[in-house]
Amino acid sequence: IDQPNVITCKAMVAWEAGKDLVMEEVEVSPPQPLEIRVKVICTSLCRTDITAWESQAIFPRIFGHEASGIVESVGEGVTEFVKGDHVLTVFTGECKTCKHCESKKSNMCQVLGLERRGVMHSDQGTRFSVKGKPVYHYCAVSSFSEYTVVHSGCAVKVSQQAPLEKICLLSCGVAAGLGAAWNVADISKGSIVVIFGLGTVGLAVAQGAKLRGASQIIGVDINPEKYEKAKCFGVTDFLNPNEYNEPIQQVIKRISGGGTDYSFECIGNTGMVTTALQSCCDGWGLTVTLGVPKTNPEIASHYSAFLSGKTLKGSLFGGWKPKSDLPSLVNKYMNREIQVDEFITHNLPFEDINKAFTLMREGKCLRCVIHM
Ligand code: APR
Ligand code: ZN
């Protein structure tokens, strides 16, 4: 039988918070039971990687969670994948048997949900080491490595025809935005929508809103460079809060005739969640959060927002169940029903990954795709 061995390959290791990643030779152990080892083909940099790299304390660590690849080997008990399958990795898995996986109302798998401690779900161990020292995972994906090990429940098999260098975006940001618009908010035709933050996540919400026939899509961002790109995803009005002497929610209420039907927080700033809630209308106004805040995790709101019938709703990965739902999203891309390529502003070789970090921190990109 073919027994997988330890692989030595290159990975970009984060040794310290906020310090450039360093290319290292890492050892990647064989996949353990129910795990698969994946040859990463492309990985795109998402804002959440940066947030964790800047603010968390688990090091050394291999970041990266928005990725596509090809199965290299499978662990004991894996029946769903064989060597050569094309996959998307996902930061929140689907075990298909827990209470949440069985419910139509949730995508919060209780077995393979968001992993925060830098280890694998199955044994709290790591599959990477550098010179004998363990290297931690990120979101149980760690795609900034030529090879990685993920739980078979945290990978989704996709069509061999789909271009891996594009669809990696569907493993996090673009899917999260589309899902927030379609599954979480369920935007109806003719609606007025406001989106706070016009990065990939916010613009994917805009695309989802446009495809649902929203009549007005207001984009709020402090970076005016985002406007041109935003137009191509359906944003009709651009507001820069720095250009107004009054609170931006007042401007939004005015131009939307009393408040929007839907507000989306796509920045990762809890203060903006409050602003988003103040911007939606009484009665049925719905605010959806997508951002992941780095600081000040508490949300403040006057209870009158709720007395007047507003709703605040959280979301993770746009409500999609990754295994059940992502293949159809990939097919929508293949049928040109959704735009993905337009989010890719840069393509970079693996060794230039630190450039992608700089571009994103300076607000100069939407998605940088890293080619391994
Ligand atoms: N007001 C308005 N816009 C802001 C503000 C602010 N105070 N602060 C930042 N922005 C804008 C930025 O200019 C940028 O265009 O928010 C946008 C965020 O986009 P990206 O940094 O590209 O992030 P993205 O990958 O889209 O993720 C957005 O969702 O998944 C989470 O962790 C992620 O919290 C992050 C959010
Ligand atoms: Zn589950």
Side-chain angles (χ1 to χ4, degrees):
I1 335 163
D2 240 3
Q3 277 297 344
N5 296 318
V6 169
I7 286 180
T8 303
C9 69
K10 293 194 165 56
M12 281 291 189
V13 177
W15 290 96
E16 265 182 86
K19 293 269 164 65
D20 272 5
L21 309 188
V22 182
M23 188 171 267
E24 306 278 2
E25 293 277 319
V26 298
E27 264 106 57
V28 186
S29 27
Q32 298 304 298
L34 297 180
E35 294 175 353
I36 60 176
R37 192 161 56 188
V38 175
K39 179 183 191 337
V40 178
I41 299 296
C42 280
T43 179
S44 33
L45 178 63
C46 171
R47 170 59 65 170
T48 321
D49 291 307
I50 294 195
T51 304
W53 164 76
E54 285 174 336
S55 61
Q56 291 184 5
I58 302 169
F59 294 98
R61 200 169 195 186
I62 297 174
F63 286 105
H65 64 285
E66 213 178 74
S68 60
I70 299 175
V71 176
E72 177 271 338
S73 60
V74 304
E76 209 183 297
V78 173
T79 52
E80 190 190 342
F81 297 100
V82 294
K83 182 179 173 160
D85 280 345
H86 288 197
V87 293
L88 293 180
T89 57
V90 281
F91 65 92
T92 179
E94 184 179 350
C95 77
K96 296 212 172 205
T97 54
C98 75
K99 188 172 164 183
H100 286 250
C101 282
E102 284 188 340
S103 164
K104 279 190 186 147
K105 296 178 183 171
S106 172
N107 67 340
M108 301 286 143
C109 176
Q110 299 293 287
V111 182
L112 302 170
L114 205 55
E115 205 297 314
R116 296 165 199 271
R117 286 168 306 168
V119 293
M120 295 299 282
H121 288 100
S122 55
D123 62 357
Q124 318 325 304
T126 75
R127 305 289 176 263
F128 297 111
S129 62
V130 176
K131 299 175 193 102
K133 194 177 156 67
V135 177
Y136 291 100
H137 295 247
Y138 179 60
C139 287
V141 173
S142 293
S143 52
F144 297 164
S145 174
E146 290 174 323
Y147 288 87
T148 188
V149 175
V150 300
H151 194 284
S152 55
C154 297
V156 181
K157 200 192 294 195
V158 293
S159 153
Q160 304 258 355
Q161 272 70 54
L164 293 173
E165 71 279 11
K166 309 280 196 243
I167 61 164
C168 55
L169 272 64
L170 289 173
S171 80
C172 178
V174 173
L178 289 171
W182 295 342
N183 308 325
V184 184
D186 194 11
I187 294 175
S188 47
K189 196 172 184 322
S191 300
I192 302 178
V193 174
V194 63
I195 300 164
F196 293 85
L198 302 178
T200 298
V201 173
L203 293 180
V205 172
Q207 177 175 185
K210 181 184 172 189
L211 290 171
R212 279 288 176 93
S215 62
Q216 189 180 14
I217 304 175
I218 305 163
V220 180
D221 203 298
I222 47 173
N223 180 355
E225 284 174 35
K226 302 280 168 163
Y227 190 29
E228 267 320 299
K229 202 83 193 191
K231 277 190 207 160
C232 102
F233 290 105
V235 173
T236 56
D237 304 65
F238 182 75
L239 298 180
N240 182 346
N242 295 336
E243 287 173 2
Y244 292 87
N245 292 321
E246 56 183 325
I248 202 68
Q249 60 271 31
Q250 261 175 40
V251 182
I252 294 165
K253 284 198 149 178
R254 200 163 54 238
I255 65 171
S256 63
T260 61
D261 299 298
Y262 305 95
S263 304
F264 294 88
E265 201 286 340
C266 307
I267 297 169
N269 175 329
T270 43
M272 294 311 269
V273 175
T274 308
T275 307
L277 195 57
Q278 289 166 341
S279 305
C280 66
C281 68
D282 287 352
W284 60 80
L286 171 66
T287 294
V288 176
T289 65
L290 293 86
V292 180
K294 180 160 65 170
T295 50
N296 306 325
E298 273 87 24
I299 289 168
S301 169
H302 196 279
Y303 74 93
S304 64
F306 305 108
L307 275 184
S308 58
K310 296 180 182 184
T311 303
L312 177 61
K313 205 168 175 183
S315 72
L316 183 73
F317 198 44
W320 301 112
K321 288 181 188 287
K323 269 191 204 291
S324 308
D325 299 329
L326 272 191
S328 67
L329 212 50
V330 169
N331 289 340
K332 271 194 195 307
Y333 167 69
M334 298 299 283
N335 297 334
R336 297 172 193 275
E337 293 167 50
I338 56 171
Q339 296 169 275
V340 173
D341 302 9
E342 291 76 0
F343 290 101
I344 302 171
T345 52
H346 300 76
N347 285 284
L348 292 168
F350 190 32
E351 58 269 25
D352 286 346
I353 200 163
N354 289 305
K355 282 189 193 157
F357 276 66
T358 305
L359 284 166
M360 183 163 256
R361 294 172 91 196
E362 291 178 347
K364 299 244 183 305
C365 65
L366 287 175
R367 279 297 187 258
C368 296
V369 174
I370 316 293
H371 298 251
M372 311 303 278

